[in-house]
Amino acid sequence: MPIQTIGILSPGDMGQAIAAVLNQHGLKTIAALDDRSERTRQLAAAANIQDVGSVRQLVIESDVVLSVLVPAAATQAAKQVAEAIANVGKPILYVDCNAIAPQKVINIGHLIESVGGTFVDASIIGPPPRVPNRTRIYTSGKQANQLQQLRDRGLDVRVIGDEIGQASGLKMSYAALTKGLTAIGTELLIAAHRLGLDKELWDEVSNSQQELASILTRSIPTMTPKAHRWVGEMEEIAETFKDLGLTEQIFYGAADVYRLVKETSLGKETPEKSNRDRPLDEIITILSYEASDT
């Protein structure tokens, strides 16, 4: 099936960037922006995503729908698309790109397929693809090869298997390392600041753990405006690990860290308005004063 028109659910920071790349490479992207926020509308307009209004119209006009949402919204979005597929009678390809547990993505796949749609599991690793060769989209499922077309349209799409859940499992494992480490680093730096030992700790980390210091210097400033999204992602990782007979408590703790951050002034910034050049020590000072579980 030639892919010409791609529906984006939803044009947030990641979805908008994906759409912009596809548009630049000659594809048409559309979104259902009825009842969406002004920020979402502005992001869509900036990426030349066309508004078709409703999810039903999105299904009618799309060859493929990419679901790129916060984890908590993944199932409801799939239900809306499934209802539209059933009403329209169009066997559209639905690609779930959300950071959700393998069992949840399997359930979503069954939902889409039960109404005649086809389904691909996908996971995005890396930042929004504004810079070439920094973002990978891993896919799995029997229809995953269909997305290989997008390799010629600016996206690094990689098929890793024919089972639904494999791509999501990879995302859960990888994000457990990267975002889990960022959560631990954030909390320990706040703790050191409150102990009056932040300079001493950072001097030691910079000397004995240079690679770790570099990672935290890079990851924490870009994390704060995304913390609200990462709460759900950590919870999905916790459920994944629990299903595997491992402890889930580590990642529920990481979710708590991001829950604290999202309530601060830094957590309330949007990615496009966040000061990415703000020094790490300034960020930790702000979080130390503003973050509280009381």
Side-chain angles (χ1 to χ4, degrees):
M1 175 196 70
I3 298 174
Q4 296 296 326
T5 301
I6 299 178
I8 304 292
L9 290 174
S10 155
D13 191 39
M14 180 66 77
Q16 183 244 28
I18 289 173
V21 170
L22 295 173
N23 287 336
Q24 291 164 8
H25 286 80
L27 295 179
K28 177 182 177 182
T29 61
I30 61 177
L33 299 181
D34 284 356
D35 303 320
R36 298 311 303 264
S37 69
E38 183 59 29
R39 173 180 177 259
T40 299
R41 291 178 176 275
Q42 291 175 353
L43 288 172
N48 294 318
I49 302 170
Q50 298 182 28
D51 178 17
V52 297
S54 67
V55 172
R56 175 186 172 88
Q57 193 61 34
L58 185 84
V59 169
I60 290 172
E61 296 191 26
S62 296
D63 299 313
V64 175
V65 171
L66 301 182
S67 177
V68 190
L69 301 158
V70 295
T75 299
Q76 182 58 35
K79 288 179 179 178
Q80 292 176 335
V81 171
E83 181 179 355
I85 291 173
N87 290 337
V88 172
K90 182 179 178 181
I92 198 169
L93 175 61
Y94 187 88
V95 184
D96 192 297
C97 305
N98 302 302
I100 57 177
Q103 187 55 55
K104 182 175 287 187
V105 83
I106 289 170
N107 293 339
I108 289 174
H110 289 160
L111 173 65
I112 295 297
E113 292 172 347
S114 70
V115 294
T118 53
F119 185 80
V120 168
D121 177 20
S123 65
I124 303 169
I125 292 182
R130 298 184 179 94
V131 178
N133 303 318
R134 290 182 60 193
T135 308
R136 282 80 55 207
I137 302 178
Y138 292 95
T139 63
S140 65
K142 291 182 172 57
Q143 305 297 325
N145 284 329
Q146 293 192 43
L147 290 185
Q148 291 285 73
Q149 298 176 53
L150 302 185
R151 290 186 62 85
D152 298 326
R153 304 289 187 161
L155 296 180
D156 185 356
V157 178
R158 306 182 184 188
V159 178
I160 62 171
D162 60 5
E163 295 182 15
I164 302 301
Q166 289 177 300
S168 289
L170 177 62
K171 174 68 173 182
M172 294 290 94
S173 302
Y174 183 83
L177 173 63
T178 57
K179 294 171 185 174
L181 179 60
T182 299
I184 293 171
T186 299
E187 186 169 38
L188 71 86
L189 290 175
I190 291 173
H193 184 274
R194 291 180 178 177
L195 289 167
L197 296 170
D198 42 351
K199 181 181 184 304
E200 289 78 5
L201 174 65
W202 192 251
D203 286 347
E204 177 58 37
V205 172
S206 299
N207 179 60
S208 62
Q209 303 288 337
Q210 293 180 10
E211 292 185 3
L212 177 58
S214 177
I215 290 170
L216 295 178
T217 300
R218 184 174 64 252
S219 65
I220 293 177
T222 59
M223 169 275 293
T224 55
K226 303 173 185 177
H228 69 285
R229 297 208 314 261
W230 292 6
V231 172
E233 191 165 334
M234 293 300 101
E235 292 172 340
E236 293 291 331
I237 293 170
E239 290 302 304
T240 301
F241 281 41
K242 182 179 179 180
D243 288 343
L244 294 170
L246 300 169
T247 180
E248 70 274 23
Q249 298 304 320
I250 297 171
F251 298 101
Y252 280 132
D256 285 341
V257 172
Y258 291 131
R259 194 172 285 110
L260 295 178
V261 173
K262 81 180 182 70
E263 296 301 330
T264 67
S265 59
L266 299 181
K268 290 180 169 61
E269 294 178 340
T270 60
E272 58 270 18
K273 292 185 178 180
S274 176
N275 179 8
R276 300 189 181 189
D277 296 323
R278 187 181 285 119
L280 178 59
D281 59 347
E282 180 182 335
I283 292 171
I284 295 303
T285 298
I286 294 171
L287 294 180
S288 180
Y289 283 113
E290 297 186 13
S292 174
D293 63 357
T294 59

Coordinates of all heavy atoms in Angstrom, one line a residue, residues 32 52-62 80-81 83-90:
A32 N -6.8 15.7 13.5 CA -8.2 16.0 14.0 C -8.1 17.0 15.1 O -7.8 16.6 16.3 CB -8.9 14.8 14.4
V52 N -8.4 18.4 9.7 CA -9.6 17.8 9.1 C -10.8 17.7 10.1 O -11.8 17.2 9.8 CB -9.3 16.4 8.5 CG1 -8.2 16.5 7.4 CG2 -8.8 15.5 9.6
G53 N -10.6 18.3 11.3 CA -11.7 18.4 12.2 C -11.8 17.2 13.1 O -11.3 17.1 14.2
S54 N -12.5 16.1 12.6 CA -12.9 15.0 13.4 C -12.0 13.8 13.2 O -11.3 13.7 12.2 CB -14.3 14.6 13.1 OG -14.4 14.1 11.8
V55 N -12.0 12.9 14.2 CA -11.3 11.6 14.0 C -11.9 10.8 12.9 O -11.2 10.1 12.1 CB -11.4 10.8 15.3 CG1 -10.8 9.4 15.1 CG2 -10.6 11.5 16.4
R56 N -13.2 10.8 12.7 CA -13.8 10.1 11.6 C -13.2 10.6 10.2 O -12.9 9.8 9.4 CB -15.3 10.4 11.6 CG -16.1 9.8 10.4 CD -17.6 10.2 10.4 NE -18.3 9.8 9.2 CZ -18.9 8.7 9.0 NH1 -18.9 7.8 10.0 NH2 -19.5 8.4 7.9
Q57 N -13.1 11.9 10.1 CA -12.6 12.4 8.8 C -11.1 12.1 8.7 O -10.6 11.9 7.6 CB -12.8 14.0 8.8 CG -12.5 14.6 7.4 CD -13.5 14.0 6.3 OE1 -14.7 13.7 6.6 NE2 -13.0 13.9 5.1
L58 N -10.4 12.0 9.8 CA -9.0 11.6 9.8 C -8.9 10.2 9.2 O -8.0 9.9 8.4 CB -8.4 11.7 11.2 CG -6.9 11.4 11.3 CD1 -6.1 12.7 11.1 CD2 -6.6 10.9 12.7
V59 N -9.7 9.3 9.7 CA -9.7 7.9 9.2 C -10.0 7.9 7.7 O -9.4 7.2 6.9 CB -10.7 7.1 10.0 CG1 -10.9 5.7 9.3 CG2 -10.1 6.9 11.4
I60 N -11.0 8.7 7.3 CA -11.4 8.7 5.9 C -10.3 9.1 5.0 O -10.1 8.5 3.9 CB -12.6 9.6 5.7 CG1 -13.9 9.0 6.3 CG2 -12.9 9.9 4.2 CD1 -15.1 10.0 6.4
E61 N -9.5 10.1 5.4 CA -8.5 10.7 4.5 C -7.1 10.1 4.6 O -6.3 10.2 3.7 CB -8.4 12.2 4.7 CG -9.7 12.9 4.4 CD -9.5 14.5 4.4 OE1 -8.3 14.9 4.2 OE2 -10.5 15.2 4.7
S62 N -6.9 9.3 5.7 CA -5.5 8.8 6.0 C -5.3 7.4 5.3 O -6.2 6.6 5.2 CB -5.3 8.7 7.5 OG -5.3 10.0 8.1
Q80 N -11.4 5.6 19.9 CA -12.0 6.6 19.0 C -11.8 6.2 17.5 O -12.7 6.3 16.7 CB -11.5 8.0 19.3 CG -12.0 8.6 20.6 CD -11.4 9.9 20.9 OE1 -10.3 10.3 20.4 NE2 -12.1 10.7 21.8
V81 N -10.5 5.9 17.2 CA -10.2 5.5 15.9 C -10.9 4.2 15.5 O -11.4 4.0 14.4 CB -8.6 5.3 15.7 CG1 -8.3 4.7 14.3 CG2 -8.0 6.7 15.9
E83 N -13.7 3.1 16.5 CA -15.1 3.4 16.3 C -15.3 4.0 14.9 O -16.2 3.7 14.1 CB -15.7 4.4 17.3 CG -17.1 4.8 17.1 CD -17.6 5.7 18.2 OE1 -16.9 6.0 19.2 OE2 -18.8 6.2 18.1
A84 N -14.3 4.9 14.5 CA -14.4 5.5 13.2 C -14.2 4.5 12.1 O -14.8 4.5 11.0 CB -13.4 6.6 13.1
I85 N -13.2 3.6 12.3 CA -13.0 2.5 11.3 C -14.2 1.7 11.1 O -14.6 1.3 10.0 CB -11.8 1.6 11.8 CG1 -10.5 2.4 11.8 CG2 -11.7 0.4 10.9 CD1 -9.3 1.6 12.4
A86 N -14.9 1.3 12.2 CA -16.1 0.5 12.1 C -17.2 1.2 11.4 O -17.9 0.6 10.5 CB -16.6 0.1 13.5
N87 N -17.3 2.5 11.6 CA -18.4 3.3 11.0 C -18.1 3.6 9.5 O -19.0 3.5 8.6 CB -18.6 4.7 11.7 CG -19.2 4.5 13.0 OD1 -19.8 3.5 13.3 ND2 -18.9 5.5 13.9
V88 N -16.8 3.8 9.2 CA -16.4 4.1 7.8 C -16.2 2.9 7.0 O -16.4 2.9 5.8 CB -15.2 5.0 7.8 CG1 -14.6 5.2 6.4 CG2 -15.4 6.3 8.5
G89 N -15.8 1.8 7.6 CA -15.5 0.5 6.9 C -14.2 0.6 6.1 O -14.1 0.0 5.0
K90 N -13.2 1.3 6.6 CA -12.0 1.4 5.9 C -10.9 0.7 6.7 O -10.6 1.0 7.9 CB -11.6 2.9 5.8 CG -10.3 3.2 5.0 CD -10.0 4.7 4.9 CE -8.7 4.9 4.2 NZ -8.4 6.4 4.1

